[in-house]
Amino acid sequence: MVLEVTNTNNVKVYTVSGSSLTRKLPDWLVKRKRRELQKDIEWTRRIELIQDFGFPEASLRLKVTPDGQFCMATGVYKPQIRVFDFANVAMKFDRHTDAENVNFCVLSDDWTKSVHLQNDRSIEFHNEGQMHFRTRIPRFGRDLAYHSSSCDVLVGGASSEVFRVNIDQGRFMTPLQTQSEGVNVVRVSQAHELFAFGTQDGTVEFWDPRARNRIGVLEPEIAGIVDPIHGTRGGFEISAMDFRNDGLGVAVGTSSGHVLLYDLRQSRPWQTKDQQYGLPIKTVKWMEQAQGAYSPEVDSAKIMSADARIIKLWS
């Protein structure tokens, strides 16, 4: 479906019904006609809706594949995986699972290889045809990440240990022992491959994958928390995190609804943002170009932060 878009006073209005809707591209158009449409402003600004883009009850996780051609999502009910094809603007297939998904990682450039952390302490490896292998971890998992250089799947959860599953050797490796009783967030930097573990104690531990040793601990501080969590260092837990493409910036989201922006060369945040609702930050992302480099003179990167009620885009 192609929707008509009007822009009045910088407010975009999408027409979702009516007789003026549509400029669909027929299958019989020749390549010359397709090239002509690239110069058509109305055609280039069109918006197409993916058919069946949803789940019967709710979606849990959604990620775009590295090649940008597919979207993989998990949801309920019943627990299932769905893959959507951007080129055909439709669902490619769905696959049911035995348990609900906690998080997943796409291992290949497209959707054909993925690993899924389930809420029954199991880890499932899927290929293009079926579930290839399933194993279980000793504790319930909360997040996972993939380190491509060592082929390790890192799983953090209700334990001080971060479990390592090596998919090249097909076995568990020696886990990483943290200083916290639980790990909520696991991230791997694409720039320098540093591991970052956001803990339930309100700290962020950084590990060097080459030596498999802790190289630093970040201890965020937030003043005036209304409803502090007892048993944590600062009254909050780390609930979300994201590395910047340059490898120096890191965004940290907390259970108190705050987002802190850090330079890894400093121990204090250079900016703190309050989401204003007091709800845990679900997702925080650096919004910048894939090849963009940090420039102190012209910094166009923005931050997207989301909790259970609102999504904010800020800089």
Side-chain angles (χ1 to χ4, degrees):
M1 177 185 294
V2 181
L3 303 183
E4 180 181 352
V5 183
T6 58
N7 193 339
T8 305
N9 296 329
N10 295 325
V11 177
K12 292 184 178 181
V13 179
Y14 303 98
T15 304
V16 298
S17 63
S19 59
S20 60
L21 252 187
T22 112
R23 297 194 58 198
K24 294 183 179 180
L25 182 62
D27 296 334
W28 46 265
L29 279 180
V30 296
K31 293 183 179 180
R32 180 176 59 84
K33 185 61 177 178
R34 293 176 185 267
R35 289 194 297 266
E36 292 178 357
L37 286 174
Q38 295 179 356
K39 303 177 182 179
D40 190 336
I41 297 179
E42 184 178 351
W43 172 259
T44 56
R45 292 181 178 177
R46 76 193 187 282
I47 292 181
E48 299 184 7
L49 300 182
I50 299 177
Q51 303 298 319
D52 301 322
F53 193 64
F55 287 88
E57 183 175 333
S59 61
L60 300 175
R61 295 285 181 174
L62 185 147
K63 295 182 180 181
V64 177
T65 57
D67 61 5
Q69 300 299 317
F70 302 93
C71 172
M72 178 176 286
T74 59
V76 292
Y77 177 80
K78 301 178 179 179
Q80 56 188 288
I81 303 170
R82 291 187 174 184
V83 174
F84 302 92
D85 189 349
F86 291 152
N88 296 319
V89 201
M91 183 173 65
K92 189 175 184 68
F93 73 91
D94 61 348
R95 182 181 301 167
H96 291 264
T97 58
D98 295 333
E100 293 184 12
N101 181 255
V102 177
N103 203 351
F104 69 91
C105 287
V106 180
L107 304 180
S108 58
D109 289 336
D110 53 8
W111 57 270
T112 54
K113 295 179 181 179
S114 60
V115 55
H116 298 257
L117 174 63
Q118 308 294 72
N119 67 352
D120 62 349
R121 293 195 296 114
S122 66
I123 301 177
E124 297 182 357
F125 294 88
H126 289 252
N127 57 23
E128 64 272 19
Q130 60 186 350
M131 183 189 67
H132 177 71
F133 179 74
R134 177 192 288 132
T135 186
R136 293 177 68 86
I137 55 178
R139 298 290 187 269
F140 287 97
R142 299 174 182 173
D143 197 13
L144 82 166
Y146 178 61
H147 184 226
S148 58
S149 297
S150 63
C151 297
D152 281 350
V153 176
L154 307 174
V155 183
S159 170
S160 60
E161 297 178 330
V162 176
F163 304 105
R164 300 164 54 217
V165 183
N166 189 281
I167 61 177
D168 180 37
Q169 302 181 29
R171 64 187 181 95
F172 282 90
M173 310 297 287
T174 304
L176 306 178
Q177 184 70 41
T178 66
Q179 297 176 341
S180 174
E181 296 181 356
V183 178
N184 297 334
V185 188
V186 179
R187 293 292 181 269
V188 176
S189 173
Q190 300 299 320
H192 42 60
E193 299 187 351
L194 197 69
F195 297 168
F197 305 139
T199 69
Q200 69 180 30
D201 292 339
T203 62
V204 180
E205 298 189 11
F206 296 97
W207 287 66
D208 188 345
R210 298 167 297 180
R212 292 189 293 277
N213 289 326
R214 184 186 306 105
I215 61 173
V217 179
L218 194 64
E219 299 180 347
E221 294 183 358
I222 302 174
I225 296 180
V226 178
D227 189 14
I229 300 176
H230 298 287
T232 60
R233 190 194 62 83
F236 57 86
E237 299 181 3
I238 304 299
S239 60
M241 194 164 41
D242 188 40
F243 278 106
R244 193 171 180 180
N245 291 335
D246 61 4
L248 296 178
V250 60
V252 178
T254 68
S255 60
S256 60
H258 295 80
V259 177
L260 300 91
L261 304 183
Y262 283 90
D263 188 314
L264 291 181
R265 297 166 292 187
Q266 301 178 355
S267 60
R268 294 184 178 181
W270 54 270
Q271 187 173 358
T272 301
K273 181 75 172 181
D274 188 355
Q275 200 84 345
Q276 301 294 333
Y277 284 98
L279 300 174
I281 301 297
K282 297 290 186 181
T283 302
V284 58
K285 291 289 184 182
W286 290 93
M287 308 297 293
E288 58 183 342
Q289 296 181 356
Q291 302 297 328
Y294 176 75
S295 174
E297 292 80 14
V298 181
D299 190 1
S300 59
K302 298 186 182 301
I303 302 294
M304 183 192 71
S305 56
D307 57 22
R309 296 189 61 179
I310 191 171
I311 299 176
K312 288 188 176 182
L313 186 63
W314 48 281
S315 60

